[in-house]
Structure formats: structure tokens, C-alpha cells
Amino acid sequence: MARRHEPLNRTARAAALWWPAALALSIVATIVGGAIAGMLMAGGDPRGHFPFTDGYIRSIVVFTVVQAFLSAVLSVGLAIPVARAIHRRRFPGRKPFIRILGLPMVIPTIVGVLGIVAIYGRSGWLNAGLEQLGLQGRFDVYGLQGILIAHIFFNMPFAARILLQAWESVPAESWRLAGQLGASEIQTFCLVEWPVVRQAAPGLFALVFLLCFTSFSVVLVLGGGPPNATIEVAIYQALRFDFDLPRVSALAIIQVAFCGALAIGAARLFTALPDTPPAGRPAVRFDGRAMPSRLVDGAAIMVGAVVLLAPLAAVVLSAGRGPIAATLSDPALWAATGRSIAVGLTAGTLSLALGLGMVATLRRLRYREGNERTAALLEAVGSLVLIIPPFVIGAGLFVLARSHVNVFDNGLPLVVSINALMGLPFVIRVLGPPATQTLQRHGRLTAALGMRLGHRVRLVDWPLLRRPIALSLALTTALAMGDFGVIALFGTPETRTLPLYLYQQMGSYQLGRAAVSAAVLVATTLIMFLLIERIVGGRADDKA
């Protein structure tokens, strides 16, 4: 009798395990499958637009690879001395400085680009300084040099933060032993520091290369035209201006092939580092006490601070000198702000819902089933947007939807859907570990007490997970509010969000108004982030 019920029990158990992820996966599959179907329906023969037959496509691919390689080399290369100097020195404001190293990753890209233009543009600080010094010639920010400067601004602080983690993972005993043995600065670097740098740097380089390879906003604004376009910008131009669907298909295939290979390479090379330093005595370093070392470290920290803070300061100062009253009294600004908030909240909520479904299955696969391989595969599906870039998904959905509806009049739902997918990897990374930990700690007790799903969620999961949930929602909402790539494809004057409104002001050389709009965008994003963390996550002293 018991054997007769075994298949039924296995089916019920599998259904209970998989239904949350199945719901989330069905939505992901609908969006990604729709994009692939759109590409297949694009028509025409894309083979004539592959690099070995089309010189223009070949030049686009070469430029994309070259700028990504140079950006990764410069970003990681600069990050190494900056991270080393931060680890060796104790200076006023060190902790806040470490915290804001992550800022360029969350502020809207278009705002960072505006800051770069304010410093290195034709009327920027650099050219004004050269003119004051009586030097001939002007620095032109538009071209490869501008792209590299912007990519260093966005990626160097992030790389320095990750490398600092690598330095902090060295046990205090290693530094003490190096000091007791009288190791020179070079010997300390080769024997103690280089092994952790060598462990972290290759994966970090691959990750930065991937981020720069798929760069859109930076290249669109600072590229200076088709000769300096990346694959994503070429897709945008082929779809929005030329409507060359075979070329769009060929570029999308190339983009997905490169991103797939790069994502696999980055996953193989990247080594997870501990979030906290090893337990025990705090690390005390005995190297770098000579004056030349102090000067080198001071210069590295100064360079890192200038790269990180100068563009942000330029935006703030430009906004302060801009036509504040005229810009703030423009109804179009507030209409765009309202749409940004609506898009951000909707995309963030959808992303969180998808992430909760996948995490619910992931944690049971890892803890109760012990099936790490299936869990890793499910997690990879949730990060599909890293292999199929959002712009490729947008192009596919554009082609699919254009024969049924006016895409430009109904573009915001597509913008929301794609931004929700873009936020899904962050939700899984932020929410997955604490959710699994909660099940490990309290799973047996709740099962022994026979708690139902609703009671378990209300009494155990929600108090312990509300802060990670709030952080996930705040992060995905902020990212969607600041997104410029997808809205550039679907946006119109009637449906534009604040980043697109800001880009249009920059395009018409209204840099003063653009700076004020950028300040409004940053302030709105920050307020939304803090409000979500406060309302959903509760106060820091709330009992968990």
C-alpha cells in the first residue's frame, strides 16, 4: 500500500519544490523566448553581415573588443595600487571612502557621463585650465579617449573595492611573519600580496571586460559617431535609424556568442572572496613605512579620489550654476520623473517577485535536496541577461511586437519587462545566501512544529529576510530608474523617462539644464532607495 503512494508522494514533493521557480521561469522564458522569436522573424539573410563578409561589422567588432580590452587593462591596472594603498594606510575618511567606491555602479550611467563631459568636454574644466595656462590645443572627449575615461570612472572604483577584499583576506599572521623575518617591501609584495592579487585579478579583468564589451550609454554619448560604435550601439543604429533587420540579427548573434563565451570565462576565472576579514587579530603591516612608499600610496589614493569624485562634483557644481528655476518649472521634467519612478517601482517589484520564486526553490535544492548542480544551473538561468544583453532582448521584442502594436506608443511595458530581467541576477545574489541560511537554521524546527507555509513566512522568513528583500527591491528600482539603454530604443517624447530626457538635453547642448535634471535624477533615485529600505526593511534597530 505504501509503495503505491510513493510515486504520488514523489510527484507532490517535486511539485512543491519546483512551483515557485516554474512560475518565475515561465515569465523569463516568455520574455527571452519572445526576443529570440523576434530575431528569427526578422527576415532576410544575416550571413551577409557577419565579420568575415562585411567590413563595417568587422570594424565594429574589432573596436568593441579593443575598447573593452583597454578599459579593463586601465581599470584593473589602476585599481591595484589604489586598493593596496587603501589597505596599507589609515587616513581620515577612509571608511566613507571605501563605502563610496561602489557608488559609480549604482548611479545612473548618463549622470556619470555628464560629469565626464563637464570636466573633459570642450567647455569643461580641463580645457579651461589649459586655456588659462596659455597652452594651445583642446582636449576632445569624444572618441576612444572619452570612452576609456568614462569606463575607468565606472569600473576602477568597483575593481579597487573587490581587490581590497582580496588584501583583507590575508591573515594577520602573514603580515606579522613578514615583519619578523625582515622582508623588504618587494619581498612582501611578491610573497604575501601577489598570490591574492593573482587569484582575484584574472576574474575581475574578465568581468570588467564583459561590462565594457556591452557598454551602450557611454559609447553612444562619447563615441563621437559610427567609427567608434560598439556592437550594442550598432544594433541601436541599425534598428532605430536604418531599420536593417538582417544586420540587427547578425549583430545580435555576434553579441550573444561573445557574451556567452565571456560569461563562461569570467565564471571560471572569478574566485569568490570572503566578505569579512579572517577572524583573529587585526592585520598590522610592517612594510611601506619609508617616505617614498608613503608618497606613492598618497598619490594612488589621490588618483583614486579624483577619478571617483571629480565627475560627481562636476555635476553638482554645474547644477548649482545652471538655470535651476527654469528647469524645475518645466512640466516635462516632472512628467519624465513620474514615469521614471513608475518604471523603476514596477520593474523592481516584478524583479523581486521573480527572484523570490527562484530563491524559494534554490534554497530547498541546496539545503534539503543537496542538489548543488541543479541549483547552480537554475541560478545561471536567472542570470541569463548577462549572456543575452538587454539590448538584444529589446531588439528582439521590438521586431516581434512591431507587427501587432505601435511599439513606440506601447514601449513602457517592454522597458519594465527588460529592466525586471536585468535586476534578477542582483535579487538572487542579495537574497539567496540569507534565505538559504534561514532555512538551515530554522527549517527543522518549523517542520517539527508542523508550521504551515503562511505561518512560517510570517513568523520566521519575513522578520529575518525583510532587510535583504528591501535591499533587493531598492537596488533593482534604482537601477531601472537610471536605465538609459532600453528606453533609448523604445522611448518617445510622450513616453520618455528622466534619463532619456537628460540625454536629449545633452544632445541639444543644454548642459546647464542637463546638470539640473541630472541632480533631480540622482536625488529622486536616492530618495526612492532610502524610502524603500526604510518602509520595507524597517528600522535598523527593529527586532529581526
Side-chain angles (χ1 to χ4, degrees):
M1 192 68 180
R3 286 183 179 177
R4 186 187 302 173
H5 289 293
E6 278 182 5
L8 184 61
N9 290 337
R10 280 202 298 272
T11 305
R13 187 177 170 182
L17 172 66
W18 278 101
W19 75 263
L23 278 177
L25 287 174
S26 63
I27 296 173
V28 173
T30 301
I31 297 172
V32 176
I36 294 173
M39 284 297 166
L40 295 175
M41 292 167 57
D45 186 358
R47 288 177 294 180
H49 296 288
F50 285 140
F52 42 82
T53 56
D54 188 325
Y56 170 71
I57 299 293
R58 189 162 52 246
S59 67
I60 292 292
V61 173
V62 169
F63 180 79
T64 305
V65 172
V66 168
Q67 64 83 23
F69 177 78
L70 292 176
S71 299
V73 167
L74 293 172
S75 298
V76 178
L78 276 174
I80 290 174
V82 171
R84 186 171 188 248
I86 294 173
H87 186 258
R88 283 210 297 192
R89 304 297 167 195
R90 298 293 181 268
F91 52 90
R94 180 177 179 272
K95 283 187 178 179
F97 184 62
I98 293 173
R99 284 179 177 273
I100 62 173
L101 285 175
L103 200 57
M105 296 299 289
V106 295
I107 67 166
T109 309
I110 195 71
V111 174
V113 171
L114 179 64
I116 299 289
V117 172
I119 295 175
Y120 303 99
R122 292 187 180 91
S123 305
W125 296 357
L126 178 62
N127 282 321
L130 293 174
E131 192 175 328
Q132 289 291 325
L133 293 172
L135 298 174
Q136 297 296 322
R138 284 176 171 269
F139 179 79
D140 187 3
V141 75
Y142 298 101
L144 177 61
Q145 62 278 12
I147 293 171
L148 295 180
I149 290 171
H151 282 165
I152 291 170
F153 164 71
F154 284 109
N155 296 299
M156 188 280 287
F158 163 72
R161 186 68 189 86
I162 298 294
L163 287 169
L164 182 60
Q165 242 178 279
W167 256 282
E168 288 175 343
S169 68
V170 177
E173 289 74 16
S174 298
W175 303 114
R176 192 165 58 250
L177 185 60
Q180 289 171 346
L181 294 175
S184 66
E185 191 167 328
I186 295 176
Q187 289 170 329
T188 302
F189 180 79
C190 293
L191 298 174
V192 180
E193 298 173 88
W194 178 243
V196 294
V197 174
R198 191 176 57 187
Q199 185 184 12
L204 191 57
F205 177 87
L207 186 59
V208 174
F209 185 94
L210 180 61
L211 292 173
C212 298
F213 189 87
T214 56
S215 179
F216 172 74
S217 308
V218 166
V219 181
L220 182 66
V221 179
L222 297 177
N228 295 325
T230 56
I231 296 175
E232 291 222 355
V233 173
I235 292 174
Y236 170 75
Q237 290 168 342
L239 191 61
R240 194 73 197 249
F241 301 121
D242 305 330
F243 206 67
D244 187 343
L245 296 182
R247 175 173 285 180
V248 171
S249 297
L251 288 166
I253 292 169
I254 296 167
Q255 179 86 330
V256 171
F258 267 96
C259 289
L262 290 170
I264 292 170
R268 286 182 177 276
L269 291 172
F270 199 80
T271 303
L273 296 166
D275 292 332
T276 55
R281 295 181 181 179
V284 178
R285 298 186 59 160
F286 299 92
D287 61 322
R289 298 187 175 184
M291 184 53 70
S293 299
R294 292 174 184 271
L295 291 175
V296 169
D297 286 349
I301 292 169
M302 186 63 69
V303 168
V306 169
V307 169
L308 174 63
L309 300 176
L312 302 177
V315 172
V316 173
L317 292 176
S318 299
R321 293 198 299 260
I324 297 175
T327 306
L328 296 182
S329 61
D330 186 352
L333 172 74
W334 300 111
T337 304
R339 277 190 287 274
S340 290
I341 294 173
V343 166
L345 277 176
T346 313
T349 305
L350 180 56
S351 191
L352 178 63
L354 295 174
L356 284 170
M358 298 190 78
V359 166
T361 299
L362 273 173
R363 70 175 187 170
R364 292 186 66 178
L365 278 171
R366 287 204 162 107
Y367 174 64
R368 290 195 173 158
E369 306 295 326
N371 194 341
E372 180 59 35
R373 181 174 295 182
T374 306
L377 183 63
L378 180 60
E379 203 169 82
V381 173
S383 302
L384 205 59
V385 73
L386 297 177
I387 296 176
I388 306 177
F391 216 83
V392 172
I393 298 175
L397 294 179
F398 182 98
V399 175
L400 181 70
R402 73 187 175 94
S403 57
H404 305 287
V405 295
N406 185 329
V407 179
F408 297 115
D409 288 345
N410 301 278
L412 288 183
L414 297 176
V415 174
V416 167
S417 304
I418 297 169
N419 274 288
L421 279 192
M422 290 166 64
L424 188 53
F426 294 97
V427 177
I428 293 174
R429 297 290 186 281
V430 172
L431 198 51
T436 304
Q437 204 173 50
T438 301
L439 187 62
Q440 286 173 339
R441 289 179 178 173
H442 305 284
R444 287 186 180 178
L445 179 62
T446 55
L449 293 174
M451 292 178 73
R452 294 182 177 178
L453 177 63
H455 289 154
R456 196 178 66 219
V457 169
R458 184 168 60 85
L459 299 175
V460 179
D461 287 336
W462 173 247
L464 293 173
L465 297 179
R466 64 181 298 184
R467 295 186 68 79
I469 287 173
L471 179 59
S472 302
L473 181 59
L475 192 58
T476 50
T477 299
L479 289 173
M481 285 180 65
D483 172 62
F484 170 64
V486 183
I487 191 64
L489 189 61
F490 296 106
T492 65
E494 290 73 32
T495 62
R496 64 190 171 189
T497 58
L498 197 45
L500 182 58
Y501 179 75
L502 170 57
Y503 170 69
Q504 290 171 343
Q505 287 178 324
M506 291 175 66
S508 56
Y509 298 101
Q510 302 178 59
L511 294 183
R513 280 177 172 262
V516 178
S517 301
V520 172
L521 176 57
V522 172
T524 308
T525 305
L526 187 61
I527 290 170
M528 290 300 298
F529 190 98
L530 296 175
L531 275 178
I532 291 171
E533 275 214 310
R534 177 69 181 84
I535 294 171
V536 179
R539 293 191 307 180
D541 56 352
D542 281 352
K543 290 183 179 179

